mmCIF file of all heavy atoms in Angstrom:
data_model
loop_
_atom_site.group_PDB
_atom_site.id
_atom_site.type_symbol
_atom_site.label_atom_id
_atom_site.label_comp_id
_atom_site.label_asym_id
_atom_site.label_seq_id
_atom_site.Cartn_x
_atom_site.Cartn_y
_atom_site.Cartn_z
ATOM 1 N N GLY A 742 84.496 119.322 104.607
ATOM 2 C CA GLY A 742 83.655 119.800 105.698
ATOM 3 C C GLY A 742 83.667 118.938 106.934
ATOM 4 O O GLY A 742 83.230 119.374 108.003
ATOM 5 N N LYS A 743 84.181 117.706 106.837
ATOM 6 C CA LYS A 743 84.275 116.810 107.986
ATOM 7 C C LYS A 743 85.673 116.835 108.599
ATOM 8 O O LYS A 743 86.009 115.984 109.418
ATOM 9 C CB LYS A 743 83.911 115.381 107.569
ATOM 10 C CG LYS A 743 82.481 115.237 107.085
ATOM 11 C CD LYS A 743 82.163 113.802 106.704
ATOM 12 C CE LYS A 743 80.715 113.666 106.234
ATOM 13 N NZ LYS A 743 80.387 112.271 105.841
ATOM 14 N N GLN A 744 86.458 117.792 108.191
ATOM 15 C CA GLN A 744 87.846 117.960 108.648
ATOM 16 C C GLN A 744 88.709 116.763 108.258
ATOM 17 O O GLN A 744 89.623 116.361 108.982
ATOM 18 C CB GLN A 744 87.925 118.210 110.155
ATOM 19 C CG GLN A 744 89.241 118.869 110.599
ATOM 20 C CD GLN A 744 89.263 119.205 112.068
ATOM 21 O OE1 GLN A 744 88.428 119.973 112.545
ATOM 22 N NE2 GLN A 744 90.214 118.632 112.811
ATOM 23 N N ASN A 745 88.398 116.180 107.120
ATOM 24 C CA ASN A 745 89.278 115.166 106.549
ATOM 25 C C ASN A 745 90.340 115.837 105.694
ATOM 26 O O ASN A 745 90.068 116.833 105.021
ATOM 27 C CB ASN A 745 88.491 114.204 105.637
ATOM 28 C CG ASN A 745 87.540 113.323 106.395
ATOM 29 O OD1 ASN A 745 87.889 112.755 107.429
ATOM 30 N ND2 ASN A 745 86.322 113.197 105.895
ATOM 31 N N ALA A 746 91.539 115.277 105.709
ATOM 32 C CA ALA A 746 92.535 115.650 104.712
ATOM 33 C C ALA A 746 92.163 114.908 103.433
ATOM 34 O O ALA A 746 91.971 113.696 103.448
ATOM 35 C CB ALA A 746 93.933 115.250 105.169
ATOM 36 N N VAL A 747 92.014 115.647 102.344
ATOM 37 C CA VAL A 747 91.612 115.070 101.063
ATOM 38 C C VAL A 747 92.826 115.052 100.132
ATOM 39 O O VAL A 747 93.385 116.100 99.808
ATOM 40 C CB VAL A 747 90.466 115.874 100.425
ATOM 41 C CG1 VAL A 747 90.054 115.260 99.087
ATOM 42 C CG2 VAL A 747 89.275 115.958 101.371
ATOM 43 N N PHE A 748 93.230 113.860 99.709
ATOM 44 C CA PHE A 748 94.363 113.679 98.795
ATOM 45 C C PHE A 748 93.797 113.225 97.449
ATOM 46 O O PHE A 748 93.295 112.109 97.333
ATOM 47 C CB PHE A 748 95.331 112.622 99.332
ATOM 48 C CG PHE A 748 95.925 112.942 100.675
ATOM 49 C CD1 PHE A 748 95.276 112.563 101.850
ATOM 50 C CD2 PHE A 748 97.133 113.619 100.769
ATOM 51 C CE1 PHE A 748 95.834 112.855 103.095
ATOM 52 C CE2 PHE A 748 97.692 113.906 102.001
ATOM 53 C CZ PHE A 748 97.041 113.523 103.171
ATOM 54 N N LEU A 749 93.894 114.068 96.446
ATOM 55 C CA LEU A 749 93.299 113.753 95.148
ATOM 56 C C LEU A 749 94.121 112.736 94.369
ATOM 57 O O LEU A 749 95.348 112.810 94.325
ATOM 58 C CB LEU A 749 93.131 115.020 94.317
ATOM 59 C CG LEU A 749 92.084 116.016 94.821
ATOM 60 C CD1 LEU A 749 92.036 117.220 93.905
ATOM 61 C CD2 LEU A 749 90.703 115.375 94.933
ATOM 62 N N ARG A 750 93.416 111.808 93.757
ATOM 63 C CA ARG A 750 94.031 110.752 92.937
ATOM 64 C C ARG A 750 93.805 111.101 91.466
ATOM 65 O O ARG A 750 92.721 111.551 91.087
ATOM 66 C CB ARG A 750 93.404 109.397 93.254
ATOM 67 C CG ARG A 750 93.530 108.992 94.715
ATOM 68 C CD ARG A 750 92.578 107.856 95.037
ATOM 69 N NE ARG A 750 92.941 106.623 94.353
ATOM 70 C CZ ARG A 750 93.556 105.597 94.940
ATOM 71 N NH1 ARG A 750 93.871 105.664 96.236
ATOM 72 N NH2 ARG A 750 93.838 104.501 94.275
ATOM 73 N N TYR A 751 94.819 110.845 90.648
ATOM 74 C CA TYR A 751 94.747 111.218 89.238
ATOM 75 C C TYR A 751 95.016 110.036 88.314
ATOM 76 O O TYR A 751 95.839 109.162 88.623
ATOM 77 C CB TYR A 751 95.789 112.298 88.922
ATOM 78 C CG TYR A 751 95.434 113.676 89.402
ATOM 79 C CD1 TYR A 751 95.632 114.044 90.728
ATOM 80 C CD2 TYR A 751 94.904 114.632 88.538
ATOM 81 C CE1 TYR A 751 95.312 115.309 91.181
ATOM 82 C CE2 TYR A 751 94.576 115.903 88.983
ATOM 83 C CZ TYR A 751 94.784 116.238 90.299
ATOM 84 O OH TYR A 751 94.464 117.500 90.743
ATOM 85 N N GLU A 752 94.329 110.056 87.176
ATOM 86 C CA GLU A 752 94.719 109.190 86.077
ATOM 87 C C GLU A 752 96.194 109.483 85.778
ATOM 88 O O GLU A 752 96.602 110.649 85.744
ATOM 89 C CB GLU A 752 93.854 109.517 84.862
ATOM 90 C CG GLU A 752 94.207 108.764 83.608
ATOM 91 C CD GLU A 752 93.398 109.247 82.418
ATOM 92 O OE1 GLU A 752 92.855 110.380 82.470
ATOM 93 O OE2 GLU A 752 93.319 108.502 81.436
ATOM 94 N N THR A 753 96.989 108.437 85.600
ATOM 95 C CA THR A 753 98.435 108.621 85.455
ATOM 96 C C THR A 753 98.935 107.984 84.172
ATOM 97 O O THR A 753 98.679 106.810 83.908
ATOM 98 C CB THR A 753 99.178 108.022 86.670
ATOM 99 O OG1 THR A 753 98.722 108.686 87.863
ATOM 100 C CG2 THR A 753 100.675 108.209 86.534
ATOM 101 N N LYS A 754 99.656 108.767 83.391
ATOM 102 C CA LYS A 754 100.215 108.298 82.130
ATOM 103 C C LYS A 754 101.739 108.434 82.175
ATOM 104 O O LYS A 754 102.288 109.205 82.967
ATOM 105 C CB LYS A 754 99.663 109.118 80.963
ATOM 106 C CG LYS A 754 98.144 109.105 80.862
ATOM 107 C CD LYS A 754 97.659 110.018 79.759
ATOM 108 C CE LYS A 754 96.133 110.048 79.682
ATOM 109 N NZ LYS A 754 95.658 110.969 78.617
ATOM 110 N N PHE A 755 102.409 107.672 81.320
ATOM 111 C CA PHE A 755 103.856 107.791 81.173
ATOM 112 C C PHE A 755 104.142 108.428 79.824
ATOM 113 O O PHE A 755 103.843 107.853 78.782
ATOM 114 C CB PHE A 755 104.529 106.425 81.275
ATOM 115 C CG PHE A 755 106.035 106.494 81.222
ATOM 116 C CD1 PHE A 755 106.769 106.853 82.344
ATOM 117 C CD2 PHE A 755 106.713 106.223 80.038
ATOM 118 C CE1 PHE A 755 108.159 106.933 82.296
ATOM 119 C CE2 PHE A 755 108.095 106.295 79.982
ATOM 120 C CZ PHE A 755 108.817 106.648 81.110
ATOM 121 N N GLU A 756 104.706 109.633 79.863
ATOM 122 C CA GLU A 756 104.999 110.364 78.636
ATOM 123 C C GLU A 756 106.343 111.064 78.755
ATOM 124 O O GLU A 756 106.641 111.685 79.785
ATOM 125 C CB GLU A 756 103.907 111.405 78.352
ATOM 126 C CG GLU A 756 102.525 110.827 78.086
ATOM 127 C CD GLU A 756 101.476 111.899 77.841
ATOM 128 O OE1 GLU A 756 101.833 113.099 77.896
ATOM 129 O OE2 GLU A 756 100.303 111.544 77.595
ATOM 130 N N ASN A 757 107.141 110.968 77.708
ATOM 131 C CA ASN A 757 108.427 111.669 77.651
ATOM 132 C C ASN A 757 109.298 111.401 78.877
ATOM 133 O O ASN A 757 109.921 112.304 79.425
ATOM 134 C CB ASN A 757 108.202 113.177 77.486
ATOM 135 C CG ASN A 757 107.444 113.517 76.214
ATOM 136 O OD1 ASN A 757 107.699 112.934 75.157
ATOM 137 N ND2 ASN A 757 106.496 114.441 76.319
ATOM 138 N N GLY A 758 109.303 110.135 79.322
ATOM 139 C CA GLY A 758 110.182 109.744 80.413
ATOM 140 C C GLY A 758 109.688 110.051 81.801
ATOM 141 O O GLY A 758 110.425 109.881 82.772
ATOM 142 N N SER A 759 108.423 110.497 81.947
ATOM 143 C CA SER A 759 107.938 110.868 83.273
ATOM 144 C C SER A 759 106.458 110.550 83.415
ATOM 145 O O SER A 759 105.772 110.221 82.446
ATOM 146 C CB SER A 759 108.180 112.354 83.532
ATOM 147 O OG SER A 759 107.868 112.683 84.882
ATOM 148 N N PHE A 760 105.949 110.652 84.639
ATOM 149 C CA PHE A 760 104.527 110.508 84.901
ATOM 150 C C PHE A 760 103.831 111.834 84.613
ATOM 151 O O PHE A 760 104.348 112.912 84.916
ATOM 152 C CB PHE A 760 104.267 110.124 86.356
ATOM 153 C CG PHE A 760 104.532 108.677 86.669
ATOM 154 C CD1 PHE A 760 105.032 107.803 85.718
ATOM 155 C CD2 PHE A 760 104.268 108.174 87.931
ATOM 156 C CE1 PHE A 760 105.271 106.474 86.000
ATOM 157 C CE2 PHE A 760 104.497 106.838 88.240
ATOM 158 C CZ PHE A 760 105.003 105.991 87.269
ATOM 159 N N VAL A 761 102.636 111.742 84.051
ATOM 160 C CA VAL A 761 101.831 112.922 83.739
ATOM 161 C C VAL A 761 100.422 112.698 84.281
ATOM 162 O O VAL A 761 99.848 111.624 84.104
ATOM 163 C CB VAL A 761 101.776 113.169 82.217
ATOM 164 C CG1 VAL A 761 100.874 114.357 81.898
ATOM 165 C CG2 VAL A 761 103.175 113.393 81.662
ATOM 166 N N ARG A 762 99.871 113.704 84.942
ATOM 167 C CA ARG A 762 98.521 113.586 85.491
ATOM 168 C C ARG A 762 97.478 113.861 84.416
ATOM 169 O O ARG A 762 97.597 114.787 83.631
ATOM 170 C CB ARG A 762 98.311 114.563 86.654
ATOM 171 C CG ARG A 762 99.102 114.215 87.898
ATOM 172 C CD ARG A 762 98.735 115.120 89.071
ATOM 173 N NE ARG A 762 99.535 114.788 90.226
ATOM 174 C CZ ARG A 762 100.714 115.331 90.499
ATOM 175 N NH1 ARG A 762 101.199 116.266 89.701
ATOM 176 N NH2 ARG A 762 101.393 114.966 91.561
ATOM 177 N N GLY A 763 96.428 113.023 84.432
ATOM 178 C CA GLY A 763 95.267 113.247 83.597
ATOM 179 C C GLY A 763 94.153 113.830 84.440
ATOM 180 O O GLY A 763 94.373 114.723 85.255
ATOM 181 N N LYS A 764 92.956 113.276 84.305
ATOM 182 C CA LYS A 764 91.812 113.790 85.063
ATOM 183 C C LYS A 764 91.831 113.274 86.500
ATOM 184 O O LYS A 764 92.457 112.253 86.812
ATOM 185 C CB LYS A 764 90.517 113.376 84.380
ATOM 186 C CG LYS A 764 90.281 111.874 84.381
ATOM 187 C CD LYS A 764 88.973 111.531 83.678
ATOM 188 C CE LYS A 764 88.734 110.015 83.673
ATOM 189 N NZ LYS A 764 87.476 109.666 82.981
ATOM 190 N N VAL A 765 91.149 113.990 87.382
ATOM 191 C CA VAL A 765 90.968 113.536 88.765
ATOM 192 C C VAL A 765 90.008 112.356 88.750
ATOM 193 O O VAL A 765 88.932 112.421 88.152
ATOM 194 C CB VAL A 765 90.404 114.657 89.649
ATOM 195 C CG1 VAL A 765 90.173 114.145 91.072
ATOM 196 C CG2 VAL A 765 91.351 115.849 89.676
ATOM 197 N N THR A 766 90.407 111.259 89.412
ATOM 198 C CA THR A 766 89.586 110.044 89.392
ATOM 199 C C THR A 766 89.061 109.634 90.763
ATOM 200 O O THR A 766 88.203 108.749 90.857
ATOM 201 C CB THR A 766 90.397 108.866 88.826
ATOM 202 O OG1 THR A 766 91.529 108.621 89.678
ATOM 203 C CG2 THR A 766 90.881 109.161 87.411
ATOM 204 N N GLY A 767 89.580 110.226 91.838
ATOM 205 C CA GLY A 767 89.155 109.819 93.167
ATOM 206 C C GLY A 767 89.905 110.584 94.239
ATOM 207 O O GLY A 767 90.636 111.535 93.950
ATOM 208 N N ALA A 768 89.721 110.149 95.474
ATOM 209 C CA ALA A 768 90.390 110.824 96.584
ATOM 210 C C ALA A 768 90.534 109.897 97.778
ATOM 211 O O ALA A 768 89.628 109.116 98.078
ATOM 212 C CB ALA A 768 89.619 112.080 97.003
ATOM 213 N N ASN A 769 91.693 109.979 98.433
ATOM 214 C CA ASN A 769 91.905 109.360 99.740
ATOM 215 C C ASN A 769 91.498 110.347 100.819
ATOM 216 O O ASN A 769 91.785 111.542 100.704
ATOM 217 C CB ASN A 769 93.374 108.993 99.937
ATOM 218 C CG ASN A 769 93.796 107.818 99.090
ATOM 219 O OD1 ASN A 769 94.055 107.974 97.904
ATOM 220 N ND2 ASN A 769 93.873 106.644 99.690
ATOM 221 N N LEU A 770 90.854 109.842 101.863
ATOM 222 C CA LEU A 770 90.445 110.678 102.981
ATOM 223 C C LEU A 770 91.140 110.212 104.258
ATOM 224 O O LEU A 770 91.251 109.009 104.503
ATOM 225 C CB LEU A 770 88.923 110.601 103.186
ATOM 226 C CG LEU A 770 88.045 110.912 101.963
ATOM 227 C CD1 LEU A 770 86.570 110.738 102.318
ATOM 228 C CD2 LEU A 770 88.315 112.314 101.443
ATOM 229 N N ARG A 771 91.597 111.184 105.044
ATOM 230 C CA ARG A 771 92.223 110.869 106.342
ATOM 231 C C ARG A 771 91.634 111.783 107.397
ATOM 232 O O ARG A 771 91.748 113.009 107.314
ATOM 233 C CB ARG A 771 93.741 111.065 106.283
ATOM 234 C CG ARG A 771 94.457 110.738 107.599
ATOM 235 C CD ARG A 771 94.267 109.256 107.939
ATOM 236 N NE ARG A 771 95.125 108.780 108.998
ATOM 237 C CZ ARG A 771 94.796 108.745 110.296
ATOM 238 N NH1 ARG A 771 93.625 109.228 110.707
ATOM 239 N NH2 ARG A 771 95.614 108.234 111.185
ATOM 240 N N GLY A 772 90.948 111.172 108.394
ATOM 241 C CA GLY A 772 90.370 111.956 109.473
ATOM 242 C C GLY A 772 91.440 112.637 110.305
ATOM 243 O O GLY A 772 92.493 112.059 110.569
ATOM 244 N N THR A 773 91.163 113.864 110.740
ATOM 245 C CA THR A 773 92.170 114.611 111.506
ATOM 246 C C THR A 773 91.658 115.110 112.849
ATOM 247 O O THR A 773 92.386 115.791 113.567
ATOM 248 C CB THR A 773 92.698 115.813 110.701
ATOM 249 O OG1 THR A 773 91.655 116.783 110.532
ATOM 250 C CG2 THR A 773 93.222 115.371 109.340
ATOM 251 N N TYR A 774 90.394 114.797 113.187
ATOM 252 C CA TYR A 774 89.925 115.155 114.529
ATOM 253 C C TYR A 774 90.750 114.390 115.561
ATOM 254 O O TYR A 774 91.240 113.289 115.296
ATOM 255 C CB TYR A 774 88.446 114.789 114.705
ATOM 256 C CG TYR A 774 87.490 115.802 114.131
ATOM 257 C CD1 TYR A 774 86.715 115.508 113.013
ATOM 258 C CD2 TYR A 774 87.357 117.062 114.713
ATOM 259 C CE1 TYR A 774 85.824 116.438 112.492
ATOM 260 C CE2 TYR A 774 86.472 117.994 114.199
ATOM 261 C CZ TYR A 774 85.711 117.680 113.085
ATOM 262 O OH TYR A 774 84.845 118.609 112.559
ATOM 263 N N GLN A 775 90.918 114.971 116.742
ATOM 264 C CA GLN A 775 91.690 114.323 117.795
ATOM 265 C C GLN A 775 91.122 112.936 118.093
ATOM 266 O O GLN A 775 89.933 112.774 118.335
ATOM 267 C CB GLN A 775 91.685 115.167 119.065
ATOM 268 C CG GLN A 775 92.594 114.615 120.154
ATOM 269 C CD GLN A 775 92.695 115.564 121.337
ATOM 270 O OE1 GLN A 775 92.045 116.591 121.392
ATOM 271 N NE2 GLN A 775 93.535 115.210 122.294
ATOM 272 N N GLY A 776 91.983 111.932 118.039
ATOM 273 C CA GLY A 776 91.579 110.568 118.316
ATOM 274 C C GLY A 776 91.007 109.824 117.119
ATOM 275 O O GLY A 776 90.703 108.633 117.215
#
């Protein structure tokens, strides 16, 4: 609602040779209003 870009962060595991996402644990926010 504040016009932030929200990038979700996930619990990360290594399984079968690759990364696998678990539960959502947080978020990065980036403001996008002019200036």
Side-chain angles (χ1 to χ4, degrees):
K743 297 181 179 179
Q744 200 176 300
N745 291 315
V747 180
F748 300 88
L749 291 180
R750 302 164 67 103
Y751 284 80
E752 176 186 20
T753 300
K754 303 176 182 179
F755 184 79
E756 296 179 359
N757 300 319
S759 187
F760 283 3
V761 177
R762 291 187 182 89
K764 65 180 180 181
V765 178
T766 62
N769 288 80
L770 306 178
R771 181 63 168 93
T773 67
Y774 279 111
Q775 186 173 4

